[in-house]
Amino acid sequence: MRFMFDKLKDMYQMKKQAEEIQQKLANEQVTGTSRDGHWRVTLNGNQELISLEAPEGSSTKIEIERGIIEAHAQARKGIEDIVRKNITGLF
């Protein structure tokens, strides 16, 4: 019976730590930039879009799509690195 209570206590502690990390991540922000440096995407730690900066006079749909995709991918990678560092202590 004690084993079950110990496991429940461990699960509670892990849940509490996960909630703390989630709150911390919500305050983190990472900005990714497209390869040409014209597009910027900022994500928070929950991978929500915070801002999108575009150059004046963007010409083609393809350039717009490419710029956003590149900047988003870079920002997402930065967030994934932050998440990885924060959850290392959980396991």
Side-chain angles (χ1 to χ4, degrees):
M1 190 70 151
R2 179 162 170 76
F3 176 75
M4 258 184 12
F5 287 118
D6 288 343
K7 287 296 176 189
L8 286 173
K9 185 178 173 184
D10 292 344
M11 287 174 53
Y12 173 77
Q13 288 298 326
M14 284 181 63
K15 181 179 183 280
K16 187 175 175 183
Q17 287 176 328
E19 289 170 352
E20 289 171 2
I21 289 171
Q22 189 173 21
Q23 288 175 349
K24 183 179 176 183
L25 290 174
N27 295 322
E28 295 281 347
Q29 290 189 359
V30 173
T31 300
T33 307
S34 62
R35 282 184 248 171
D36 63 11
H38 294 131
W39 295 85
R40 295 189 198 314
V41 170
T42 301
L43 303 176
N44 71 10
N46 293 325
Q47 297 191 17
E48 298 167 330
L49 180 65
I50 301 299
S51 70
L52 171 64
E53 297 174 35
E56 292 289 324
S58 300
S59 56
T60 68
K61 181 178 184 266
I62 291 172
E63 289 173 345
I64 293 168
E65 290 172 348
R66 185 179 303 131
I68 292 171
I69 289 169
E70 289 173 1
H72 183 270
Q74 187 185 39
R76 190 184 69 240
K77 183 183 180 322
I79 291 297
E80 289 170 355
D81 291 344
I82 291 171
V83 169
R84 199 172 299 115
K85 289 176 187 171
N86 278 282
I87 65 169
T88 301
L90 281 179
F91 303 102

